[in-house]
Amino acid sequence: MIAPIYNHDFVETEAAKDVDKVLGVPGSSIIVLTGAPGLGKSYIAGHKSAKVWDNLKESGQRLYCKFDCTSIEALYNDLHQLFKDLDKTFEPVSDDRPKTWDIVYTFFETLNSHYPDYHKIFIFDDVEKLSELLKVLDHIGRYMRPSQQPSDAKVPDVGTWTMFVTSMKSVPRPAVYQHIGKDSFIPVSPFTLEEAKLLFKYTRLDDDSLEKLVDTLGGMALALRIFLKSIESEQADDSEDFLNGYLENIESQTKSLIEEGGVSEIEAREQSALVAIKIAIDRLVKDLPFPEESMQLLKVLSFFSERDLPRELIVSCAETVSTPEKPASEVTRLVSNRLCERGICVMRTENNSRLLSLHKLVKQSLKLFCKKEEEPDLLKKALIGFTRVLPKDGRRHQDRFLKFYSDHGRTLNTAIAHGFSRTPFVQLLHCDLLVGVAYCLSSQKSGVTKSKGLLKDSRDKYCQLVMGGGYSYDRLLKEQSNVDVSQRHKEVACILYETGIQHSLLQDEEYRDFIDKLPQYHQLTEKDLNNMLNVCEYKDLVNGHLTRKKLELFEEKGRTSETSTVLEIDTLVHVFISEILITIYRTWSKLHSKFSDASQEVNECIQHSEAALEVSRKLYEETGVYLLAGLITDRERLAMEIDRETSSEKLRSIKDQLDELSNVGDDEGKRYAYEAGLMRSDLKGDNYHRMVCAEWKINCYGKLYQLELANQEQHYASGQQLLTQVKELARKQVYSNSALCYCYRYYAKFLSDCDKSGEAVKYILKAMQQLGLSLKNGSGKSHPELENHKFERLYRSLDKYYYSYKNAQSEAGDDTKLLTQQGKLYEYLKSLTESWKNETPSDQPTDSTDNFQVFDEIMTSHTEIPPYGIPPENN
């Protein structure tokens, strides 16, 4: 659990003192800080949270989290992540678009139920857009009980709950919030001269100069702190001269805003603090080795959401403004470090990845100085940088980053929608953006509807791009009235493909230049890396993709050896536009897991997967490029059909198709699957692909066992033989324990289909054991798929199979013992997961053999599960 952090330059302003008064009242729990941006609301909330946290160090367990309340989706995602970290389920009443009441009340009830004796400290930041939030907090305030402090406690009783709320909007009638209390509504005012003196106590500024500074900056806390950092960082010998030059610069730039027109004198003077921040940024970048590129990068970043910019995204955007002589990674490092030094941004680390956050005022100040004529170019750079690293299925990424990228993508999408000149090239990139954001949202429980909406937008925009502005996708679909309904999406996909590859965009110089520089952003397989130039992970790769400089060396090596794995430019421009069309369809098809098996939505998903495959086949026939996207779609289409199929004849056909697909690498023409149409991976030795196909064949045999009574023994034996093959392939994976976990899960489902629930219980336990081994061996710490909710999913399967087993074997006598032991294993695994999550690498135990004996005890204590007992295996 992340702890709140003290601010070393904190000043006890009047608002901060008012917060202390409220915290000193027993039972107080909700404090609402209001005021304009940059006055220090979040600063006060964070500092006082740290104080409460430290005061409670000796009095019990604590929870802390800061929630982004800029939108209902942002709040939901942060709450969902908190519960995920706590290994708890977060399921509000509304699945489609959770309302403020639903999610906040569920948050309160769940934590109050599971952690009644914990001190819960939370910050709800920027709530002005969530009009109902204060009403919900006021309602649940009546249920917040005081904490059970001993009578001689040395710290004030802050109650079991302490919640800070920040809002730019004032609350007109705080008295109506009876359970918050009107004294808990604290307006945050600009710094007074006396408060500024405390902030600048170690400088040599006299009172008159300081008063002038406070007046010019409107007492804005953020601007004052940035100015203080500038003095400290630049080590100004004469603070007075430094200040005078700073103020003159503010006056000059504010005046130029008025003279350029469009901004009145009153409005411009209100922007003085923003001008001051921009000047501070100017000063910090002017001495950098690459000042022009650094400022361009900051302007590009201003088009994204201000919170949690992943470093890989910053580097990708830096690639769009830098040159080989001025490496993007170096520009990123210098800019990020200098911004943090000056207090202009905040950097934090999560899962070994660095995330940068800008303040709203910093973002606004950069926008203020973007000239209108340069905005289209800057926005295009942001779009290019973003789509290069946007998480997509098959591209390496961290699950936690899906939320960050969906927020940044929607912010960028809004910017594009506001009067931006859309060239065909930008339209194509916009389609790619929408598909990527849809993929990110599809992983979020509340994001399916929005994901589907974005995919519809991407279909329409692609259709308008290749067919002309008057066309929409639905119009094109209706025009296929002479085609069978189930085949219309496939027919439309063929029309869009044929029209797209003839588009004038393929000869556009800007598009071809973009394609020529694209390969470095697409993931290389381990085999690629072993066969190419020496690659240093930290210097030559960005999120697993080659940097521009390394790409040039890679291409040169290919030309010399005549074995380049980068396709020719004329092929690439054809492939890229076609793959975006495939990705639209296949991302839609992936939504099938969110719907019930018999729904119309699932039928639509299958039709979209068939459309994606049709385009993939056409592309292969015309270019010889076999896309990895097509391969994955083919696998998933067959998996969808297995789950829904009730005909034994069709199931046998699916099994045969899986056989053929698993051996696709034997076809010399399909020896390589191209990721994003650019880098190739060798399928002949692709054990992962073969493993997944074999796992789904096991499912086929389970369904056939139920449908063909005369051949049950044969199907059961076939499933057993496949298990041996899958285990062998799973052990060859990088994360072998995780792969074995999935292997045993599939086999447990097969056993359940074969009416062997006792064995199914055994294999679910073995799957849970493999997850525990992953954590014990350390691979779980870095593997993106090893999330705690996997335990919950396995446990639900375990309950299901155990229930079937208990009903079938009511006279067995071992039921109670088995149930107790599987529960013991589950609780142990949860505690093991939590300990690994909370410990730093240096604190992690090197030997957990004694504790890990619980697995052996559990797995051997019920070796004979009647009537289908099997001996434990040595894994």
Side-chain angles (χ1 to χ4, degrees), residues 290-309:
F290 320 117
E292 184 178 345
E293 290 78 8
S294 298
M295 183 55 71
Q296 283 278 306
L297 173 59
L298 288 173
K299 289 179 180 179
V300 168
L301 295 181
S302 71
F303 286 97
F304 299 107
S305 175
E306 62 268 13
R307 295 173 187 260
D308 293 325
L309 287 155

Side-chain angles (χ1 to χ4, degrees), residues 190-193 196 200 207-220 223-224 243 247 250 269-273 276:
F191 262 50
T192 65
L193 177 59
F200 287 86
D207 290 355
D208 291 340
S209 299
L210 193 54
E211 185 175 9
K212 188 175 180 181
L213 176 67
V214 172
D215 181 60
T216 301
L217 299 182
M220 195 167 286
L224 288 169
L243 172 62
L247 295 178
I250 292 175
R269 294 197 182 283
E270 290 176 349
Q271 303 294 336
S272 292

Side-chain angles (χ1 to χ4, degrees), residues 164-181:
F164 294 89
V165 181
T166 72
S167 175
M168 288 188 289
K169 290 184 178 178
S170 61
V171 181
R173 291 187 300 158
V176 303
Y177 299 98
Q178 301 176 19
H179 302 286
I180 294 177

Side-chain angles (χ1 to χ4, degrees), residues 380-501:
K380 183 168 60 181
K381 285 181 169 62
L383 188 55
I384 291 172
F386 188 69
T387 56
R388 283 167 165 170
V389 293
L390 182 59
K392 295 178 183 176
D393 188 33
R395 182 184 286 185
R396 189 176 72 180
H397 60 266
Q398 294 190 38
D399 288 347
R400 178 73 169 105
F401 280 12
L402 296 176
K403 185 260 181 185
F404 301 147
Y405 276 106
S406 64
D407 290 346
H408 294 309
R410 284 182 289 178
T411 302
L412 191 55
N413 186 40
T414 301
I416 295 171
H418 289 154
F420 179 55
S421 175
R422 298 177 185 87
T423 64
F425 172 48
V426 170
Q427 284 181 275
L428 185 64
L429 290 178
H430 193 189
C431 290
D432 200 21
L433 166 72
L434 292 171
V435 176
V437 176
Y439 169 74
C440 294
L441 287 172
S442 67
S443 68
Q444 302 168 20
K445 186 169 184 180
S446 63
V448 176
T449 301
K450 283 187 171 55
S451 177
K452 197 172 179 179
L454 289 172
L455 289 171
K456 285 182 178 179
D457 286 346
S458 65
R459 285 191 324 190
D460 282 338
K461 291 187 185 304
Y462 194 95
C463 190
Q464 291 162 13
L465 169 65
V466 302
M467 301 294 295
Y471 262 94
S472 69
Y473 187 86
D474 287 341
R475 174 185 166 183
L476 197 56
L477 204 62
K478 288 177 182 177
E479 289 179 357
Q480 315 310 313
S481 56
N482 60 331
V483 179
D484 184 78
V485 174
S486 64
Q487 300 297 310
R488 288 180 186 173
H489 284 290
K490 185 190 294 187
E491 186 67 23
V492 170
C494 292
I495 294 171
L496 291 176
Y497 169 77
E498 296 292 351
T499 311
I501 61 175

Side-chain angles (χ1 to χ4, degrees), residues 96-108:
D96 187 26
R97 177 184 172 87
K99 301 298 183 184
T100 307
W101 184 279
D102 295 323
I103 63 176
V104 176
Y105 203 78
T106 302
F107 151 78
F108 170 75

